Amino acid sequence: MRIAHVALWTQDLDTAAQFWERYFRASVGEAYHSKNRPGFTSRFVTLPEDGGQIELMTGPWLADDAPAERIGWDHIAITLGSGEAVDALAEKCRADGCLKSGPRWTGDGFYEALILMPDGTPVEITA
């Protein structure tokens, strides 16, 4: 058994897709426009190697002032396979201004850094 995909709401579908392409070498599918839910648009991004997918979704009902923390998923963690890979991507994100917290060992035993998508959604990168 494995997770087929996770879904993520975003206000800017194209910018979110570019984030996943730039930092994770993900391939991005074509936009899907729902005929049953006017305004709903999504794109799937597929991560290299294991093929995990993230469905990026948007709609005109998303508010600019939505709370950053709410009931539901908090973040996704992407394993990069090594501490060196975490360090390298964290440095790239620091230079681009999207590093939230630098690489560190956590109390629960992960070597990780936290980066932010352009809309502020947290993405954990781990060894």
Side-chain angles (χ1 to χ4, degrees), residues 7-11 13 40-43 55-59 62:
L8 172 67
W9 288 107
T10 184
Q11 288 182 306
L13 202 58
F40 175 87
T41 305
S42 70
R43 294 178 81 176
E55 181 181 12
L56 302 173
M57 308 179 304
T58 195
L62 296 176

Side-chain angles (χ1 to χ4, degrees), residues 88-101:
L89 184 52
E91 187 52 42
K92 181 176 185 177
C93 291
R94 181 186 321 277
D96 290 350
C98 61
L99 180 67
K100 171 81 174 173
S101 61

Side-chain angles (χ1 to χ4, degrees), residues 50-84:
D50 82 345
Q53 291 187 309
I54 300 163
E55 181 181 12
L56 302 173
M57 308 179 304
T58 195
W61 51 84
L62 296 176
D64 284 332
D65 60 351
E69 292 184 354
R70 58 191 174 277
I71 295 173
W73 299 106
D74 177 67
H75 67 273
I76 186 169
I78 306 293
T79 184
L80 303 180
S82 71
E84 293 79 16

